[in-house]
Amino acid sequence: MTKRFSWSQLILLVIALVLAAVWLAPVLWAVATSLKPEDETTKLPLQWFGSELTLDSYALVLGTGGIVKWAINSTVTAVIVTFLTVLFSAMAAYGFARTQFRGQRVLLALILAGIMVPPQVLIAPLFAEMVTLGLVDTWWAIILPQVAAPLIVYILVKFFQDVPPELEQAAFVDGAGRWRVFFTIVLPLSRPVLAAVAIFTFITTWNNFLWPFLVSTDPNTMTLPVGLANVVQGTFGLRYAQIMASVVLAGLPLLVVFVMFQRQIVRGVAHTGLAGQ
Amino acid sequence: MTTTVAAPATAAPVATPKVRRGWTQHGMVFVAPFLLIYVAFLVWPTLLGFQMSLSSVNIAGGNNKFVGFDNYVEAFGDPRMWRSLWNTVVFTVLSTIPLVFLGLVFALLVHNLRFVQWLWRLSFFGPFLLPSAVVSILWLQMIYPPDYGLINGTLGTDVLWLGDPSVAMWSMVLTTVWWTVGFNFLLYLAALQSIPQHLYEAAAIDGASAWDKLRSITLPLLGRTTALIVVLQLVASLKVFDQIYLMTGGGPQDSTRPIIEYAYDVGFTGYRTGYASAVSYILFALIVIVSLAQLRLFRKREEVAS
């Protein structure tokens, strides 16, 4: 690094450090508060550290069990949504990109038009539909609408169109059917884009608020964001250390995922972001 | 996969695979599962929503009468609808400008730094990964309170961040910028990395300063990315709901209530689902206009590319 040293690098570094400190401050403040004894959380003047560091708030929050249950609900629903979205979207995209059937163009146009439909404006009719189907307060109500993601199909159609057909031809000549070709050649070839789409779907689903909030009133089916929003304030009153412990616990999983999959997430945002919303 | 064994047992198909028949070979079978869910949970509710917007239906499904465009007529004469629509537009404009500008500044900064890339990525992109409930509770309970909150407590100010109608919208923008700028930051970072290095090398030979390079190479080449980010951001901001609902509930004095929250309020707590659908469709129309601009943008891009 010394070889690369220059004054401009130093100035940039200082600016970046200041901005990063400002950007991290709210998160660090949440962590600091969660580690204070409860009666010192609102002490003035503000102090970053209390008289002692304590994990009591975490023990209390985890002891009530709610947050663990919601984290499990979030994980299960997000995993199912991600799996179904990737599988169904990839199949559909392959169907559109590599096979021919009647009505194909009309159906693809119908799906592309759906990219413009913001899920937030469908809350009333979707809710009415869920009531009719008797799915309110079940995982399926949370899962199914999120699998209907036309944008993902669009991204994958674009990708499959660029896969050279020669790769499949050899297998066809060997007598392999469409399904075998799809699962043993096309999917493995598309691993990077599928990973990007999967990670992005997982993040969006895990963090989704409005829809799960509407369809889960039972604390047993709530996802983490909904459980937090609905119950934390009621249960913990003004016990800020416990509230911040909950906030830290709820925010942690995806940050860990980020650190683990940094590269794929960066690529994923670029991929999915560039192709649509 | 490329097991080039002797001639396959089955009679070698002369025709190309495309004309092979049998239901498992049919393209429609690949499309069917997605299509089923798509029609059931996107197409159908879209149509149902429009039908509901022409009715007086309530949340329980009762009192369902066809009322034509009455709900739309009422919405256009409803001061609270206009107020929430206006709030949405104000929020969109106020948030888009810093979200695009700061995204660019962060990306330029990080792209040009050679130290601890992971730290900058984590700092600037990390908040984007937090659920809206986490962000809202954190800012509501620990950052914005007038007395012990982090901002007033650190700066020695006494701003009523969420209690003052003339400040609350700015507070929503501030939280949102902090929370979501990371997405634009990453898009810009990806775009910066795809600019060919030799352009800079050539400019350096011509004696261009860092500022010259930024002005005449980097910024022009980021033009398309910027146009894209602006449209994505407009559409995203028009849909704002979570953080405002959770932090101010639309107050004080309706000063932050966005249109999705208004639709939610009249539909789910006021029980007028038909009217709520009409309000939603007004927002929908606005988003379609912006999205169509986006589609045009992509079409132009593709024409240029091909």
Side-chain angles (χ1 to χ4, degrees):
Chain A
M1 284 300 155
T2 40
K3 228 169 85 183
R4 291 285 198 181
F5 177 86
S6 67
W7 282 106
S8 62
Q9 278 289 301
L10 188 67
I11 294 166
L12 287 181
L13 182 66
V14 171
I15 298 174
L17 277 174
V18 171
L19 285 172
V22 170
W23 236 251
L24 283 175
V27 172
L28 296 177
W29 186 240
V31 175
T33 305
S34 71
L35 297 171
K36 288 176 189 172
E38 194 61 71
D39 55 349
E40 294 176 20
T41 51
T42 58
K43 216 165 80 176
L44 290 166
L46 296 184
Q47 277 166 346
W48 280 80
F49 296 101
S51 58
E52 54 167 333
L53 288 179
T54 165
L55 290 172
D56 287 358
S57 303
Y58 287 91
L60 283 164
V61 166
L62 289 171
T64 61
I67 207 161
V68 178
K69 197 189 306 167
W70 304 325
I72 294 171
N73 288 344
S74 276
T75 309
V76 172
T77 49
V79 165
I80 297 177
V81 168
T82 305
F83 176 76
L84 292 181
T85 302
V86 172
L87 178 68
F88 290 173
S89 304
M91 282 170 57
Y94 183 77
F96 283 121
R98 282 304 166 82
T99 69
Q100 288 174 349
F101 55 91
R102 276 177 67 181
Q104 186 176 29
R105 278 161 176 260
V106 178
L107 285 180
L108 187 58
L110 177 74
I111 287 174
L112 293 187
I115 294 175
M116 281 190 289
V117 181
Q120 289 87 343
V121 309
L122 295 182
I123 52 175
L126 255 184
F127 188 81
E129 191 182 353
M130 290 301 165
V131 172
T132 312
L133 296 173
L135 292 178
V136 175
D137 272 333
T138 68
W139 278 351
W140 292 112
I142 297 173
I143 292 167
L144 291 171
Q146 303 195 80
V147 176
L151 181 64
I152 308 287
V153 176
Y154 173 73
I155 292 168
L156 294 177
V157 167
K158 287 267 154 213
F159 182 83
F160 290 153
Q161 279 171 347
D162 292 339
V163 174
E166 297 78 41
L167 293 170
E168 295 160 70
Q169 292 305 336
F172 282 130
V173 171
D174 287 351
R178 281 270 174 219
W179 290 99
R180 271 223 6 231
V181 168
F182 176 68
F183 281 108
T184 60
I185 298 176
V186 177
L187 284 191
L189 268 176
S190 327
R191 212 174 284 153
V193 70
L194 293 179
V197 163
I199 291 167
F200 196 68
T201 306
F202 187 85
I203 293 175
T204 327
T205 316
W206 173 281
N207 286 345
N208 196 359
F209 174 72
L210 177 57
W211 179 245
F213 167 70
L214 287 175
V215 290
S216 43
T217 51
D218 175 0
N220 287 314
T221 56
M222 282 175 184
T223 58
L224 197 52
V226 180
L228 259 194
N230 255 336
V231 188
V232 157
Q233 291 173 8
T235 315
F236 299 132
L238 295 179
R239 276 169 277 166
Y240 296 110
Q242 285 182 46
I243 296 177
M244 287 305 111
S246 315
V247 157
V248 170
L249 287 172
L252 209 59
L254 277 194
L255 288 183
V256 172
V257 171
F258 174 73
V259 172
M260 280 162 56
F261 295 103
Q262 238 198 89
R263 221 178 257 171
Q264 286 93 325
I265 290 176
V266 174
R267 209 185 310 143
V269 169
H271 247 294
T272 45
L274 283 171
Q277 23 188 314
Chain B
M1 51 193 221
T2 43
T3 43
T4 34
V5 249
T10 45
V14 187
T16 63
K18 278 173 188 160
V19 271
R20 287 220 240 157
R21 292 290 165 181
W23 75 271
T24 53
Q25 297 290 336
H26 200 288
M28 188 65 201
V29 178
F30 282 88
V31 178
F34 176 83
L35 198 63
L36 215 65
I37 289 183
Y38 180 74
V39 168
F41 298 103
L42 199 136
V43 178
W44 173 246
T46 305
L47 300 175
L48 185 65
F50 185 65
Q51 190 223 325
M52 286 167 85
S53 76
L54 303 177
S55 80
S56 58
V57 70
N58 62 33
I59 189 75
N63 192 27
N64 193 352
K65 277 193 300 251
F66 179 77
V67 297
F69 284 94
D70 284 6
N71 286 326
Y72 290 92
V73 174
E74 186 187 339
F76 281 117
D78 176 356
R80 291 192 79 200
M81 196 291 288
W82 284 111
R83 182 71 209 264
S84 59
L85 189 62
W86 175 244
N87 286 341
T88 304
V89 171
V90 168
F91 174 85
T92 302
V93 173
L94 291 184
S95 61
T96 299
I97 296 166
L99 278 168
V100 174
F101 179 72
L102 275 182
L104 174 62
V105 169
F106 288 177
L108 283 171
L109 194 61
V110 173
H111 185 65
N112 287 298
L113 263 176
R114 296 177 219 292
F115 309 96
V116 283
Q117 287 286 332
W118 67 268
L119 176 65
W120 319 125
R121 283 181 178 177
L122 188 66
S123 312
F124 300 138
F125 184 69
F128 181 77
L129 294 170
L130 300 174
S132 55
V134 163
V135 171
S136 304
I137 293 170
L138 169 59
W139 285 72
L140 174 69
Q141 305 279 13
M142 299 311 301
I143 314 285
Y144 280 147
D147 35 16
Y148 63 86
L150 183 65
I151 304 183
N152 283 356
T154 305
L155 303 177
T157 48
D158 57 354
V159 181
L160 286 172
W161 294 98
L162 300 174
D164 183 342
S166 61
V167 178
M169 186 57 95
W170 291 97
S171 307
M172 287 302 122
V173 169
L174 182 62
T175 303
T176 307
V177 169
W178 176 80
W179 177 31
T180 60
V181 72
F183 188 79
N184 297 345
F185 157 70
L186 279 198
L187 287 184
Y188 269 127
L189 204 57
L192 282 172
Q193 282 163 3
S194 67
I195 296 178
Q197 202 53 43
H198 64 81
L199 292 177
Y200 294 105
E201 284 154 14
I205 292 169
D206 292 345
S209 68
W211 173 248
D212 290 336
K213 287 185 213 163
L214 177 69
R215 222 189 33 180
S216 46
I217 302 176
T218 314
L219 292 183
L221 286 177
L222 288 179
R224 245 183 246 154
T225 310
T226 303
L228 174 76
I229 289 176
V230 168
V231 184
L232 294 181
Q233 192 56 59
L234 289 175
V235 172
S237 287
L238 285 172
K239 297 190 288 196
V240 64
F241 172 81
D242 299 11
Q243 64 270 45
I244 296 183
Y245 174 77
L246 290 167
M247 290 173 70
T248 67
Q253 295 163 33
D254 281 356
S255 63
T256 57
R257 187 181 317 277
I259 191 158
I260 289 185
E261 190 180 337
Y262 187 55
Y264 167 78
D265 286 345
V266 290
F268 285 84
T269 52
Y271 299 111
R272 296 192 58 206
T273 312
Y275 187 59
S277 297
V279 172
S280 298
Y281 269 69
I282 292 170
L283 173 65
F284 190 5
L286 200 63
I287 291 177
V288 166
I289 293 168
V290 177
S291 302
L292 284 176
Q294 174 188 353
L295 280 184
R296 278 190 70 137
L297 190 86
F298 283 126
R299 200 154 302 148
K300 278 210 187 109
R301 259 167 53 117
E302 272 158 31
E303 275 164 16
V304 171
S306 62

